[in-house]
Amino acid sequence: MATRWASLGLRAPLGRPPPPRRSRFWLAAPGGVRFGSSSSAGPGAGALASSLVRTGGFVGGRWVQAAAAFPVRDPASGAELSRVADCGAAEAQAAVRAAYEAGAAWSGASAKERAALLRKWFDLMIENKDDLARIITAENGKPLKEAQGEILYSASFLEWFAEEARRIYGDIIPSSAKDRRVLVLKQPVGVAAIITPWNFPSAMITRKVGAALAAGCTVVVKPAEDTPLSALALAELANRAGIPAGVYNVVPCSRQQAVAVGEVMCTDPLVAKISFTGSTATGKILLRHAAGTVKRVSMELGGHAPFIVFDSADVDKAVAGALASKYRNSGQTCVCTNRFLVQKGIHDAFVEKFARAIKSELRIGNGFDEGTTQGPLINEKAVEKVEKHIHDAVSQGASIVTGGKRHSYGKNFFEPTLLSNVTTRMLCTQEETFGPLAPVMKFDTEEEALAIANSANVGLAGYFYSRDPAQIWRVAEKLEVGMVGVNEGIVSAVECPFGGVKQSGLGREGSKYGIDEYLEIKYVCFGGL
């Protein structure tokens, strides 16, 4: 590791011994398939590169074990994939200390040097994209094609922020005093605690970490307990890319240890910044913890996205957008549509065509099976929430147009479901489902649709379809969300700012604005000139 710091013309942090030699092991895969360094039999399942599948924490450039381990399971079958180090408060504190000790040298490196390492990390992700995608499908369950798309999206943040690292500009401000010169500098905030969800186990890390490292910050990542293998695979590639010891640390833990680890990351005075993606309820807890030391915070929290289809819309295009917006990752994304509002003039035609598209274009199955578009939900608790929302809606008069029950493929599989005759009194229109449920409400006027859409206390994404230019401007400006899709069901892109309003969070990720979340502004006044 000392040679890496030397290559930057800097001294290495003290007390960071070299990492141990990589070990090779086998990971049991769904259906008894053995994933390792050789090819494997089985439908749709190839070999995972064993060198990317790690089971320890990654602290200060070393793979570390904990006193206990927790299982990572395949959500499709429930089979145990691996056992990962169950890190606790002690390991979290060690990771924070390692990040802090590495901070001065990393922030002291030139932007060009940091950019080159981020670019190398990006290159390695692209070289290993198929293996990284298989890890996602194994632990998350999403179809392999979606996982491959996530890896390209994930890698793009490293590429983007490698380029943005050299564009952190300050300012020179004309002074009112002749003998003064006024400058504004931008400097890294310090150690950033990164807490990420299971639904995008790779992209949610690089979107935060890419910006943090480009800015000159060091990081400690706590991945979701359901999907730690992707975070650890990224650590392996960061290590190969030459990211210096202590700059990128990963502390995996079980649900039982999550509170202790999260508390360390949010209260340790060495941590200057917290970035969290997850539920609004958890975000509020982390904000309370962060308040004690007044940390910088960015939060990407829950959504409840409306999808409005006006009478002027192209119904076929609206149906295609609805299918993409609702059922990607089996409805388990924070920007998935949660409420469909369709104007009365085209309501029946939309519901009919939407139901036909669901039946003809969506295929439930194991994520490794070719042709699968709908994998399992992450766990049975997620399935139970979908069932609860459907039961509540039907008990109040909603009609099941298609779907409505668990699929015979397995206990975590649920049929893509479409409900009609839905009202605002029903749970599915009041809280985020996070599953393959599409409730459709009928409305009369634009004002009514906006009132329903804006009634939520969250505002992450919103979508609407219209061919009326004046209406498009009115609705886009009046929707109380951070991101609007106009005649478009997918809005995420590396160059665009991602984030919400109301209780959907604080700050923005991605785009040229994302790096500002990891920078402090310093005003410098030169006097006596």
Side-chain angles (χ1 to χ4, degrees):
M1 290 298 168
T3 58
R4 292 182 184 172
W5 288 111
S7 70
L8 299 178
L10 302 164
R11 293 183 61 189
L14 298 177
R16 300 268 76 83
R21 294 182 62 186
R22 299 188 186 101
S23 61
R24 299 182 67 82
F25 64 96
W26 293 90
L27 174 66
V33 180
R34 301 289 283 181
F35 286 27
S37 58
S38 62
S39 61
S40 57
L48 287 180
S50 61
S51 61
L52 291 185
V53 180
R54 306 303 302 240
T55 59
F58 190 67
V59 177
R62 301 183 62 186
W63 293 103
V64 300
Q65 295 301 322
F70 67 98
V72 179
R73 299 189 181 279
D74 166 25
S77 66
E80 184 176 301
L81 297 170
S82 183
R83 296 187 70 81
V84 171
D86 193 5
C87 296
E91 290 81 10
Q93 289 168 348
V96 169
R97 172 61 65 176
Y100 180 77
E101 291 177 356
W106 181 248
S107 64
S110 71
K112 182 178 180 180
E113 290 163 335
R114 293 196 299 269
L117 290 174
L118 284 170
R119 178 71 198 199
K120 178 60 176 175
W121 196 4
F122 161 78
D123 290 339
L124 287 172
M125 284 194 70
I126 297 302
E127 289 174 19
N128 293 274
K129 63 182 186 297
D130 291 335
D131 294 322
L132 292 169
R134 292 184 185 283
I135 291 173
I136 289 178
T137 295
E139 65 179 348
N140 169 278
K142 69 175 60 177
L144 186 58
K145 186 176 181 180
E146 281 194 27
Q148 291 166 340
E150 179 181 343
I151 291 302
L152 295 178
Y153 181 55
S154 176
S156 72
F157 286 105
L158 298 182
E159 179 185 42
W160 174 267
F161 285 114
E163 296 164 353
E164 288 297 295
R166 302 180 69 178
R167 302 190 185 106
I168 301 173
Y169 303 129
D171 285 300
I172 296 178
I173 302 173
S175 173
S176 57
K178 293 181 179 180
D179 63 345
R180 293 181 181 179
R181 298 295 182 268
V182 176
L183 296 85
V184 173
L185 309 179
K186 291 184 179 180
Q187 297 180 314
V189 297
V191 176
I194 309 293
I195 304 176
T196 57
W198 50 263
N199 57 338
F200 288 91
S202 182
M204 295 303 95
I205 292 175
T206 57
R207 191 163 73 186
K208 300 171 187 293
V209 170
L213 267 58
C217 298
T218 56
V219 300
V220 179
V221 177
K222 191 204 86 63
E225 63 272 8
D226 294 300
T227 55
L229 299 179
S230 291
L232 296 170
L234 288 175
E236 173 64 25
L237 293 180
N239 198 29
R240 295 182 193 179
I243 302 294
V247 172
Y248 178 79
N249 305 274
V250 183
V251 184
C253 68
S254 65
R255 192 179 302 272
Q256 290 72 29
Q257 292 279 17
V259 172
V261 170
E263 188 169 342
V264 168
M265 295 176 74
C266 292
T267 61
D268 193 308
L270 297 183
V271 174
K273 160 80 180 181
I274 299 167
S275 180
F276 169 72
T277 295
S279 72
T280 298
T282 302
K284 290 178 180 179
I285 293 171
L286 299 182
L287 282 168
R288 285 195 290 269
H289 283 312
T293 47
V294 195
K295 300 187 190 304
R296 284 278 296 275
V297 176
S298 41
M299 299 264 161
E300 194 261 282
L301 307 177
H304 191 36
F307 189 110
I308 307 170
V309 186
F310 291 102
D311 282 343
S312 65
D314 182 316
V315 175
D316 292 331
K317 289 182 178 179
V319 166
L323 203 68
S325 176
K326 175 69 257 184
Y327 294 109
R328 184 167 58 116
N329 199 18
S330 299
Q332 300 174 113
T333 86
C334 53
V335 292
C336 270
T337 296
N338 211 63
R339 303 167 288 159
F340 288 89
L341 295 86
V342 184
Q343 201 157 14
K344 62 180 181 181
I346 59 168
H347 173 273
D348 293 350
F350 176 85
V351 170
E352 180 185 347
K353 290 186 175 184
F354 196 13
R356 192 184 309 147
I358 291 170
K359 293 174 183 177
S360 64
E361 297 187 33
L362 302 183
R363 295 286 181 273
I364 297 176
N366 188 295
F368 286 108
D369 294 340
E370 187 174 355
T372 293
T373 65
Q374 302 290 286
L377 273 66
I378 191 65
N379 52 43
E380 192 166 13
K381 184 178 179 181
V383 176
E384 290 170 352
K385 186 174 186 180
V386 178
E387 290 178 323
K388 177 184 176 182
H389 280 191
I390 294 173
H391 175 76
D392 170 78
V394 171
S395 70
Q396 296 189 63
S399 301
I400 298 175
V401 180
T402 186
K405 61 184 185 298
R406 298 192 192 207
H407 194 275
S408 59
Y409 207 95
K411 68 177 184 178
N412 289 345
F413 290 84
F414 203 90
E415 295 177 346
T417 300
L418 176 62
L419 299 180
S420 64
N421 300 320
V422 173
T423 71
T424 57
R425 299 188 307 273
M426 299 171 184
L427 273 178
C428 59
T429 67
Q430 297 173 3
E431 61 184 36
E432 191 175 28
T433 302
F434 228 67
L437 171 61
V440 179
M441 292 177 278
K442 185 188 296 186
F443 71 90
D444 290 325
T445 67
E446 178 183 310
E447 292 73 19
E448 179 189 0
L450 282 169
I452 295 171
N454 292 336
S455 64
N457 62 5
V458 293
L460 189 56
Y463 311 88
F464 69 93
Y465 276 69
S466 170
R467 286 184 287 192
D468 179 340
Q471 183 177 62
I472 286 172
W473 280 111
R474 285 195 307 270
V475 175
E477 291 177 353
K478 290 181 180 179
L479 274 176
E480 295 173 0
V481 296
M483 298 171 285
V484 180
V486 182
N487 298 325
E488 179 60 63
I490 301 290
V491 296
S492 299
V494 64
E495 58 275 350
C496 301
F498 192 102
V501 299
K502 298 181 176 178
Q503 294 185 37
S504 280
L506 304 165
R508 293 296 182 268
E509 294 185 339
S511 79
K512 68 176 184 179
Y513 304 104
I515 203 166
D516 290 337
E517 301 291 332
Y518 298 89
L519 293 168
E520 296 280 17
I521 292 176
K522 178 183 285 185
Y523 150 53
V524 179
C525 177
F526 281 81
L529 299 178

